[in-house]
């Protein structure tokens, strides 16, 4: 690790100026991904700009439109256990608690969760080619060990996946991301924040280098009655998803009036299909209809050898999670399966 300067500004304007004046400066909140990248010799910051003491981004608050605002510097654990999130957005709480470990959730920030890099083995090995790390060098994952890799939205340049659990729920909930930078403030819909790899897999999202995420907004509709987050992984804790599914439903009787389905572990960003969600509207919440929606979501899915199994796994997960969303109480510890 290299020597570095450390700054702890008390105002956002000063924070932005420090990073804007130094292209080797990095924001740091929890540092749970940044320190990993640093230890693996993938980043070499000359300055760390601590944003934990910026009051403007360190709270969870109610919005006038009935939704809530999640400060970017709020820790993942504090977000998951906040009463407004637990009661009104339980899908988000459940997704956060499925990620990482308790210790990491206590440190990781909401903004940092959106910005974490892929966990592709080739990306983390700086001795081998990787288009995400060095554009134009190649993608050995396509012909190599690719069990954890993408089946949707891939390009010839990259088949890496985005690893977040929290972001899968945020995608399903139609969140938006508030950003401030030297040029001013802007808001990006969550669906547009992360990028598919295309010919620039080194760019994970549409955040500019001199911009800072300040908060994440959730709309009033939290789907607190019918929801489920399912994470399929190699071990029960501290493992990244092979496939994850966030499902949120609005029902009248057994008829779906609105559906949200987002997948994780399958693409360079959380994956949603507006066509599949529209298909489910007005239809009974049955395994057959969730299976048909899964076929729409997974249209064009392609495996690369080791990860071929993910296509069938994802379909089964979508069906299973759709049925689980009908009885979210069955997911609580000690709950008995529904008859």
């Amino acid at each position: 690790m290299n020597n570095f300067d450390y700054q702890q500004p008390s105002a956002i304007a000063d924070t932005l100026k420090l990073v804007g004046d130094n292209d080797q400066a990095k924001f740091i909140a929890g540092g749970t991904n940044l320190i990993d990248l640093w230890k693996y010799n993938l980043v070499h910051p000359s300055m760390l700009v601590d944003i934990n003491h910026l009051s403007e981004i360190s709270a969870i608050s109610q919005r006038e439109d009935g939704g809530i605002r999640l400060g970017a510097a709020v820790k993942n654990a504090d977000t998951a256990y906040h009463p407004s999130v637990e009661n009104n957005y339980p899908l988000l709480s459940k997704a956060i608690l499925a990620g990482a470990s308790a210790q990491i959730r206590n440190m990781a920030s909401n903004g940092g969760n959106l910005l974490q890099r892929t966990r592709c083995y080739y990306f983390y090995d700086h001795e081998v080619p990787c288009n995400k790390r060095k554009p134009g060098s190649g993608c050995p994952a396509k012909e190599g060990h690719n069990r954890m890799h993408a089946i949707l939205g891939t390009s010839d340049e990259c088949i890496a996946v985005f690893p977040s659990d929290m972001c899968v729920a945020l995608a399903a909930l139609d969140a938006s991301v508030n950003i401030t930078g030297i040029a001013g403030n802007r808001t990006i819909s969550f669906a547009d924040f992360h990028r598919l790899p295309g010919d620039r897999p080194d760019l994970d999202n549409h955040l500019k280098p001199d911009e800072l995420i300040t908060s994440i907004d959730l709309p009033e509709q939290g789907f607190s009655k019918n929801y489920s987050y399912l994470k399929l992984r190699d071990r029960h804790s501290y493992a990244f998803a092979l496939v994850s599914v966030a499902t949120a439903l609005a029902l009248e009787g057994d008829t779906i009036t609105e559906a949200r389905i987002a997948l994780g572990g399958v693409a360079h960003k959380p994956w949603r299909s507006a066509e599949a969600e529209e298909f489910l509207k007005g239809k009974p919440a049955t395994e057959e209809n969730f299976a048909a929606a899964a076929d729409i979501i997974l249209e064009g899915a392609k495996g690369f050898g080791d990860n071929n199994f993910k296509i069938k796994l994802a379909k089964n997960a979508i069906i299973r999670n759709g049925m689980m969303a009908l009885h979210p109480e069955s997911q609580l510890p000690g709950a008995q399966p529904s008859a």
Side-chain angles (χ1 to χ4, degrees):
M1 296 175 74
N2 52 281
N3 292 328
F4 62 94
D5 189 14
Y6 172 82
Q7 299 288 335
Q8 191 181 77
S10 58
I12 287 182
D14 297 332
T15 302
L16 296 173
K17 187 175 189 308
L18 286 169
V19 173
D21 290 344
N22 182 353
D23 61 6
Q24 293 302 313
K26 297 287 185 183
F27 297 119
I28 186 167
T32 54
N33 191 204
L34 176 63
I35 303 304
D36 275 349
L37 296 168
W38 204 344
K39 289 189 296 186
Y40 278 88
N41 200 33
L42 302 181
V43 297
H44 309 93
S46 62
M47 178 189 293
L48 296 184
V49 181
D50 189 339
I51 62 172
N52 287 294
H53 297 276
L54 299 175
S55 59
E56 303 99 315
I57 65 173
S58 300
I60 295 177
S61 58
Q62 194 73 30
R63 296 169 56 210
E64 292 184 1
D65 64 0
I68 64 171
R69 174 162 291 176
L70 310 174
V74 178
K75 304 307 182 186
N76 285 178
D78 292 335
T79 301
Y81 292 120
H82 192 281
S84 292
V85 176
E86 282 193 305
N87 295 330
N88 301 319
Y89 306 91
L91 175 62
L92 176 59
S93 180
K94 189 174 179 65
I96 293 172
L97 295 176
S101 66
Q103 294 88 341
I104 290 176
R105 293 192 297 268
N106 286 339
M107 286 297 297
S109 68
N110 291 336
N113 194 294
L114 273 62
L115 299 176
Q116 61 185 300
R117 306 299 307 274
T118 183
R119 291 326 197 258
C120 173
Y121 337 104
Y122 300 100
F123 172 78
Y124 268 87
D125 185 351
H126 68 91
E127 297 294 333
V128 303
C130 172
N131 286 326
K132 177 172 279 295
R133 194 177 63 249
K134 184 180 179 182
S137 62
C139 178
K142 290 192 299 182
E143 303 295 333
H145 185 41
N146 50 44
R147 184 171 179 271
M148 297 292 294
H149 287 69
I151 56 173
L152 290 163
T154 60
S155 73
D156 289 340
E157 305 299 317
C158 182
I159 62 170
V161 299
F162 181 62
S164 171
D165 291 286
M166 178 180 182
C167 288
V168 182
L170 290 174
L173 292 169
D174 268 348
S176 56
V177 184
N178 299 311
I179 293 166
T180 188
I182 300 294
N185 302 326
R186 63 190 182 114
T187 298
I188 305 177
S189 68
F190 204 84
D192 296 328
F193 181 77
H194 295 101
R195 299 178 74 259
L196 292 178
D199 60 359
R200 288 299 305 275
D202 55 311
L203 301 177
D204 295 328
N205 53 65
H206 292 285
L207 191 71
K208 298 174 183 176
D210 61 353
E211 290 184 321
L212 174 69
I213 296 173
T214 56
S215 60
I216 303 156
D217 285 347
L218 293 174
E220 183 178 11
Q221 171 64 289
F223 298 93
S224 59
K225 292 184 178 180
N226 295 105
Y227 66 91
S228 180
Y229 186 73
L230 177 63
K231 182 177 182 178
L232 303 178
R233 45 188 160 172
D234 288 323
R235 56 182 185 272
H236 184 65
S237 66
Y238 200 54
F240 297 105
L242 294 167
V243 173
S244 62
V245 189
T247 302
L249 303 173
L251 300 172
E252 289 184 3
D254 66 349
T255 300
I256 299 169
T257 59
E258 188 169 4
R260 308 275 183 80
I261 302 173
L263 302 187
V266 298
H268 204 256
K269 60 184 289 185
W271 191 267
R272 277 181 66 183
S273 167
E275 182 183 354
E277 293 172 3
E278 186 64 30
F279 165 82
L280 287 170
K281 285 185 180 181
K283 292 184 173 61
T286 63
E287 289 191 11
E288 292 76 15
N289 284 327
F290 287 125
D295 287 337
I296 297 171
I297 294 169
L298 295 169
E299 184 177 357
K302 174 188 175 184
F304 292 86
D306 293 342
N307 69 344
N308 290 350
F309 73 97
K310 277 193 174 188
I311 299 173
K312 183 176 181 179
L313 184 68
K315 179 172 182 176
N316 290 339
I318 293 167
I319 300 168
R320 177 183 169 192
N321 205 47
M323 300 306 293
M324 289 169 64
L326 304 180
H327 303 284
E329 69 281 358
S330 68
Q331 303 167 51
L332 299 174
Q336 297 299 313
S338 299

